[in-house]
Amino acid sequence: MRVFVTGATGWVGSAVVKDLIAAGHRVLGLTRSDKGAEALTAAGALVHRGSLADLASLRSGAAQSDAVIHTAFNHDFSKFAENCAEDRRAIEAIGAVLEGSDRPLLVTSGVALLAPGRTATEQDVPPFDSPSYPRKSEAATAALVERGVRASTVRLAPSTHGHGDHGFVPRLIQFAREKGASAYIGDGLNRWPAVHRLDAARVYRLALERGAEGGPFHAVAEEGVPFKAIAEIIGRRLNVPVISQSPEEAAEHFGWFAMFAGMDAPTSSERTRAKLDWKPEQPGLIADIDHPAYFAE
């Protein structure tokens, strides 16, 4: 297939591009920069200039392709609601091009708020759009399905890790460096689902090859890694104390990130593994981050 990939130079998208090409697919990668264009060319992909805000570029990329994988998202949490609205417009623009065809669309979502207090599964649906949860990826995708588009979602684990990661764990390392301690909240037994980016990339490809409309799919290799175990690795690697904090102390230590530090979101991927014959092969989160690459300044 010729696959249009948004976010093609991003953390997950770049892995998706390489996995697709290695499996014999052709990739048209969205980028807005010369540096991104060079990276895509080096990976063996075709370059498509544009951005999430440029809906015409999204429509053009989708029109040239047999399938679309949408991984792009602006992770500036200072304007999260605005970014969620931009994401919805992008999904709608791509979907409008695919409507009436048999060409599939995979949209990226997450698992963090699917099932508070229990283990989430693929059958769970995200909370309704609200000021506290303005992300509209799944709702926009569901609306396309109702119009006959072969669309579904790949839900990523909150920690999609690997060397070069610039997501959740590097933020924890930064806090530990700044505060001189690696902290966890309470007993630290709240759980973070995790997946290596290379394993996550394979979920997207397998979903395209085996029936994209069969989702949602959970790119989750580990159902839940105790937060305390992550804090302990960081403390040992940085040679700083590992401490328990109250929610109030954690709010001071982590700032805006305290909500994520306290997140307990165990998540199953049993249905995804069975449907796609997906078997994670990369190192788990603890083994992966217990490496100098994560702590290089």
Side-chain angles (χ1 to χ4, degrees), residues 35-254:
K35 182 178 179 181
E38 291 171 3
L40 286 170
T41 300
L46 297 172
V47 174
H48 186 73
R49 293 282 188 161
S51 69
L52 275 186
D54 181 357
L55 299 184
S57 73
L58 299 179
R59 287 189 285 263
S60 171
Q64 299 177 52
S65 303
D66 303 312
V68 180
I69 293 178
H70 177 52
T71 70
F73 189 81
N74 186 336
H75 289 93
D76 179 356
F77 288 100
S78 69
K79 51 178 185 176
F80 187 54
E82 179 182 331
N83 296 338
C84 290
E86 179 181 67
D87 182 51
R88 175 183 55 79
R89 290 191 295 270
I91 294 167
E92 290 172 347
I94 293 168
V97 175
L98 301 179
E99 189 174 353
S101 76
D102 194 41
R103 293 174 292 162
L105 165 64
L106 287 173
V107 171
T108 303
S109 184
V111 302
L113 298 177
L114 280 177
R118 61 177 175 81
T119 300
T121 73
E122 290 88 346
Q123 283 73 32
D124 287 307
V125 297
F128 290 111
D129 177 27
S130 68
S132 61
Y133 186 81
R135 189 157 187 179
K136 303 172 177 66
S137 310
E138 299 222 21
T141 304
L144 293 178
V145 172
E146 291 180 1
R147 286 158 44 192
V149 179
R150 292 181 60 206
S152 192
T153 55
V154 173
R155 295 168 174 168
L156 289 174
S159 183
T160 302
H161 58 90
H163 297 171
D165 183 3
H166 47 267
F168 279 14
V169 171
R171 291 186 188 277
L172 295 177
I173 293 170
Q174 179 184 353
F175 288 127
R177 281 198 170 108
E178 292 173 351
K179 305 289 185 175
S182 180
Y184 57 89
I185 302 173
D187 59 13
L189 297 183
N190 59 297
R191 294 152 292 179
W192 276 14
V195 65
H196 194 283
R197 65 191 285 258
L198 300 183
D199 285 324
R202 205 162 72 257
V203 171
Y204 287 90
R205 174 174 60 80
L206 291 173
L208 280 190
E209 294 174 346
R210 302 188 182 206
E213 64 273 34
F217 303 99
H218 282 185
V220 175
E222 296 175 282
E223 286 196 1
V225 179
F227 189 88
K228 183 179 180 181
I230 301 169
E232 288 173 339
I233 294 292
I234 293 172
R236 176 163 57 78
R237 281 284 177 181
L238 295 181
N239 195 27
V240 298
V242 180
I243 60 173
S244 170
Q245 292 186 330
S246 68
E248 295 75 21
E249 291 169 329
E252 170 68 23
H253 182 94
F254 294 111

Side-chain angles (χ1 to χ4, degrees), residues 276-297:
L276 302 181
D277 192 25
W278 176 63
K279 299 179 181 68
E281 299 171 350
Q282 300 298 320
L285 178 61
I286 295 302
D288 194 36
I289 66 176
D290 191 9
H291 188 282
Y294 256 92
F295 297 87
E297 292 191 76

